Amino acid sequence: MYWDLFMMFIRVGLVSFGGGYAVIPIIQHEVTEKGWLTSAEFQQTVALAGMAPGSIATNAATLIGYRTAGYIGAAVSTAGMILPSLVVIVLLSALFYRMHDNSWVKSSLYGLRPVTTGLIIYAAIHFGYPSENSGISWVWIATLLISGVCLFLLLKYKLHPLLILSVAGAAGIILF
């Protein structure tokens, strides 16, 4: 089990371009396909991981590891998640400072932006649904309403994200 957790999060960590939210769909696919968590359990795990300080993907790896294999599972999952990023960033840092003016490097970085944006939007839409089999319900509409209001407050008034989180949490308490 420990080896499976470590290798799964190594694979996820190797493709975690664009931040933690971009790999949430990958983690969900892996975890639910292996039967470690249901979709509902995964959504709860991601919600808890998002509330904790630090990277959401690393926090989710820690929580999933703990849930499936205890403290050692949490440690190996966390190590698997951060090890590829650590190795890649050290190597890229050395290379980037030598090649940051290269047009191929600049073009590839511009090419990664839309992919990352698409993955984040997919994660947001997929995470917004309470479950895979439920249709449009009051919970779904309320979730969409809270999301829309939060997005509006962020874009229009540029409020601090912690304030937005507090408002969304209070709205959740009232609506659910």
Side-chain angles (χ1 to χ4, degrees), residues 142-153:
T143 301
L144 192 61
L145 180 67
I146 292 171
S147 299
V149 169
C150 289
L151 184 62
F152 175 77
L153 293 173

Side-chain angles (χ1 to χ4, degrees), residues 47-60 62 162 165:
L48 183 59
M51 292 187 319
S55 163
I56 191 167
T58 304
N59 294 344
T62 304
L162 285 178
L165 283 170

Side-chain angles (χ1 to χ4, degrees), residues 19-95:
Y21 284 103
V23 293
I24 293 298
I26 299 169
I27 296 173
Q28 181 176 18
H29 175 77
E30 292 285 331
V31 168
T32 56
E33 188 168 282
K34 293 179 186 326
W36 292 342
L37 297 177
T38 65
S39 289
E41 290 170 334
F42 180 78
Q43 287 179 347
Q44 292 169 352
T45 300
V46 171
L48 183 59
M51 292 187 319
S55 163
I56 191 167
T58 304
N59 294 344
T62 304
L63 291 169
I64 291 165
Y66 177 78
R67 190 170 185 130
T68 56
Y71 290 112
I72 296 174
V76 297
S77 297
T78 304
M81 190 69 207
I82 64 172
L83 187 61
S85 299
L86 178 67
V87 170
V88 168
I89 201 67
V90 168
L91 293 175
L92 282 179
S93 294
L95 219 113

